[in-house]
Amino acid sequence: MSLKIYNTLSRSKEEFEPIEADKVRFYVCGPTVYAEAHLGHAMSALVFDIVRRYLMYSGYDVNFVMNFTDVDDKIIAKANEIGADPYELAEHYINEYKRNLAELNILPATKNPRATEDMPQIISMIEALIEKGHAYEAHGDVYYRVESKDDYGKLSGRKLASMNAGARIEVDERKEHPMDFALWKAAKPGEPAWDSPWGQGRPGWHIECSAMNMTHLGEQIDIHGGGNDLIFPHHENEIAQTEAVTGKEFARVWMHNGMMSLKSEKMSKSLGNMITVDEFLADYPADVMRLWVLGGSYRGPLVYSEEVIEQTEQAYKRLLSAKKSALPGAVGLQADALATLQNEAEKAKADFKESMDDDFNTAGALANLFELVKVINLARADGATDVQLAQAQGVFMELAGVLGLTLEEKKAQSASDADAFIDLLVALRRDLRAEKNWALSDKVRDSLKELGVILEDSKDGTSWSWE
RNA sequence: GGCGACGUGGCCAAGUGGUAAGGCAGGAGUCUGCAAAACUCUCAUCAUGGGUUCGAUUCCCAUCGUCGCCUCCA
């Protein structure tokens, strides 16, 4: 079995073959940092984290670069609005973003380049484009000439002619063609600006990604990812610029995640219908967010609703059940039953890989994981000992880890302090139960539940856990 | 208007030319003082209408519906 990935460029699944064997050059478009990260950002980041983890699991050495757009109209506008320095504003949100990623158990990028830190490369790339006739200067601005290459539009499947017809944007007269886009914008008074051959100014949005790609990964990369809202114009323009400069194919595979929506409307900063990552994580473990994303197809939309999140939370609890220890009085499995358990675990692993190899079919992989949960729980119910469960549970945790699930149950702040008292209550309750004082023993159980401690009785004793 | 995606049980969601994974919820059991957990059993004919085929949910066409992009956006 080999990995197949859906390539937006060809609109089909293709066998994945990196440029250099065993190495993957992976670039993902990060956010423009002027506001808190919302669940849509989290979805995208999780999708590519899962892709990256699976590539690593498959033996690839992954060089994962995600940029931050830290100079842009929105950042400047927001900074002016609140009277802050644009650079510091960006700095603030970059740190917040990184904190959110860490909380979501997303592996840190190999590199997080920022537009403002690669200015010389951006400028020299624009110079190269002008030199080759793909760009032109006009009053301190520099525009990319979309008609200079005849494959413009190949990613998004658009033809210049048809776009022209529907253009409702006011056409800037300095442009040769309405679709020409800015590589460099002349500075207006008070805006952050850098020196350039065309005067003071700042880079356009698309060129920074091209320049950062080239600087940090090289002229050609294996995978370029981002939200599907970036296909046009952002990624289309990135391809145009980069290929115009290098004359080589830019990215082998273009991956795009679907959008998150809230009540049938795309969640976005500009629409204001967003739930921030912090808001979500205040109520649910990071694993629930990840599990929710894993439950669907990364290319499709994800619709937020309380009901779905609660369902996901229940599913999460079921996943957790596989980790539990053997029952107190476990007598051990017969040899054939143990063999079945281990075979099933290996089968789950093989099925899991097969699912993931098919364009990261996480919903299928998750189903394979749940099948393993069932097998483990069944073995435990049949009396398997901890030692006998270990192999299957090891496979289970390995696969969960590939998906980035930690399955760590959250502990109360002062867990270590409380433990002794809870143990004491459980011991007292055992005596109450021995005396068949059900009223009091139930009261202890109910009261502890209100404090977030779950008691579970079995004929061999009582176990407890934090909710 | 142009380009694209999608429409599977109450909810979420895989998948296949030969009658449909998994999760949540529901129903019935086992276990238990009770509860919880776990386990067992149970719950769909795949938007609609045509067509191709021995046979389609899966291929083609049309219709309806939902969503995304075409402007900043993960």
Side-chain angles (χ1 to χ4, degrees):
Chain A
M1 240 351 241
S2 59
L3 178 62
K4 286 199 176 65
I5 304 179
Y6 182 88
N7 188 350
T8 305
L9 201 51
S10 67
R11 300 191 186 286
S12 59
K13 286 181 195 173
E14 297 171 354
E15 193 117 334
F16 179 63
E17 276 182 62
I19 297 163
E20 201 177 331
D22 304 329
K23 291 199 172 167
V24 180
R25 281 168 255 236
F26 198 160
Y27 185 93
V28 174
C29 284
T32 299
V33 281
Y34 68 94
E36 280 183 85
H38 63 242
L39 297 188
H41 294 113
M43 175 190 180
S44 186
L46 283 166
V47 163
F48 291 108
D49 182 58
I50 292 157
V51 169
R52 176 189 183 186
R53 283 173 186 269
Y54 189 65
L55 288 169
M56 288 164 64
Y57 181 68
S58 301
Y60 292 105
D61 177 12
V62 183
N63 190 176
F64 189 89
V65 175
M66 186 193 76
N67 75 296
F68 284 113
T69 297
D70 63 348
V71 53
D72 151 281
D73 291 342
K74 299 246 176 187
I75 296 172
I76 295 167
K78 175 82 179 274
N80 287 340
E81 185 189 320
I82 63 173
D85 174 72
Y87 186 84
E88 282 171 15
L89 183 84
E91 181 75 20
H92 169 74
Y93 284 115
I94 285 172
N95 290 331
E96 290 289 284
Y97 200 85
K98 285 184 176 172
R99 177 176 59 78
N100 282 154
L101 295 185
E103 286 165 354
L104 288 165
N105 194 34
I106 288 167
L107 297 171
T110 312
K111 266 184 199 155
N112 283 127
R114 299 166 57 162
T116 56
E117 291 174 350
D118 282 343
M119 211 50 77
Q121 291 88 337
I122 290 173
I123 290 171
S124 65
M125 192 161 181
I126 297 174
E127 285 181 305
L129 283 165
I130 293 176
E131 207 170 296
K132 295 188 175 205
H134 292 290
Y136 55 94
E137 188 204 342
H139 308 287
D141 289 345
V142 179
Y143 294 99
Y144 180 86
R145 187 175 272 137
V146 291
E147 288 179 307
S148 68
K149 274 172 79 261
D150 56 15
D151 63 355
Y152 184 79
K154 67 179 176 183
L155 180 70
S156 55
R158 290 156 206 268
K159 301 268 183 290
L160 276 175
S162 63
M163 287 191 277
N164 210 354
R168 325 170 231 146
I169 325 299
E170 198 174 327
V171 176
D172 191 322
E173 297 186 352
R174 290 168 295 187
K175 294 183 183 179
E176 291 176 7
H177 183 104
M179 295 308 295
D180 285 354
F181 55 88
L183 297 173
W184 189 260
K185 298 179 176 182
K188 297 187 189 105
E191 287 182 349
W194 286 260
D195 285 325
S196 81
W198 319 285
Q200 289 259 305
R202 60 194 162 87
W205 176 36
H206 317 298
I207 192 69
E208 56 166 79
C209 278
S210 287
M212 286 188 270
N213 255 289
M214 204 170 294
T215 305
H216 302 286
L217 290 172
E219 293 190 336
Q220 293 182 286
I221 67 171
D222 296 297
I223 303 175
H224 192 127
N228 69 195
D229 54 348
L230 298 182
I231 294 173
F232 189 89
H234 188 55
H235 289 164
E236 193 70 72
N237 292 349
E238 268 189 65
I239 292 178
Q241 295 159 349
T242 301
E243 297 190 351
V245 168
T246 66
K248 297 174 189 164
E249 178 184 50
F250 177 26
R252 290 210 159 175
V253 182
W254 286 84
M255 292 185 70
H256 293 98
N257 64 273
M259 293 293 103
M260 171 165 301
S261 60
L262 185 59
K263 289 173 187 148
S264 298
E265 202 177 44
K266 179 181 153 189
M267 186 178 290
S268 78
K269 286 182 272 198
S270 40
L271 288 172
N273 62 339
M274 48 181 232
I275 295 169
T276 65
V277 173
D278 283 337
E279 285 166 348
F280 186 92
L281 292 181
D283 295 333
Y284 304 98
D287 272 346
V288 170
M289 173 81 211
R290 188 178 285 261
L291 199 53
W292 176 33
V293 170
L294 288 166
S297 157
Y298 77 88
R299 288 190 277 134
L302 200 56
V303 182
Y304 178 92
S305 75
E306 292 289 343
E307 188 186 7
V308 168
I309 301 304
E310 269 159 37
Q311 287 176 7
T312 305
E313 202 180 12
Q314 289 306 115
Y316 168 65
K317 286 180 183 165
R318 175 162 174 78
L319 231 33
L320 251 26
S321 73
K323 280 181 64 186
K324 291 186 179 172
S325 307
L327 296 176
V331 294
L333 246 32
Q334 297 294 313
D336 58 337
L338 179 61
T340 300
L341 170 65
Q342 301 189 335
N343 289 338
E344 291 288 334
E346 287 307 317
K347 181 179 181 303
K349 185 168 169 176
D351 290 346
F352 175 95
K353 286 184 189 173
E354 199 174 318
S355 295
M356 290 298 280
D357 273 341
D358 182 14
D359 192 34
F360 310 98
N361 181 355
T362 54
L366 214 47
N368 303 138
L369 204 57
F370 275 111
E371 278 155 11
L372 184 52
V373 169
K374 172 155 286 186
V375 176
I376 290 171
N377 286 344
L378 179 57
R380 186 191 303 102
D382 285 346
T385 61
D386 279 330
V387 172
Q388 291 179 321
L389 289 173
Q391 178 263 3
Q393 285 177 326
V395 171
F396 173 74
M397 288 307 290
E398 173 184 326
L399 300 182
V402 173
L403 298 176
L405 293 166
T406 64
L407 301 185
E408 279 168 14
E409 297 183 63
K410 66 173 183 214
K411 293 268 191 286
Q413 291 304 74
S414 52
S416 54
D417 296 337
D419 281 4
F421 293 99
I422 294 165
D423 286 340
L424 178 63
L425 282 168
V426 169
L428 282 171
R429 181 167 167 279
R430 184 178 55 220
D431 295 340
L432 290 171
R433 294 183 71 219
E435 292 165 13
K436 297 197 191 299
N437 187 340
W438 309 127
L440 247 186
S441 72
D442 287 354
K443 187 176 179 186
V444 170
R445 185 172 62 197
D446 293 345
S447 301
L448 279 172
K449 181 164 171 40
E450 280 173 31
L451 297 173
V453 178
I454 307 293
L455 297 195
E456 291 180 6
D457 297 324
S458 74
K459 55 183 172 208
D460 296 292
T462 300
S463 64
W464 66 268
S465 61
W466 291 97
E467 193 169 23

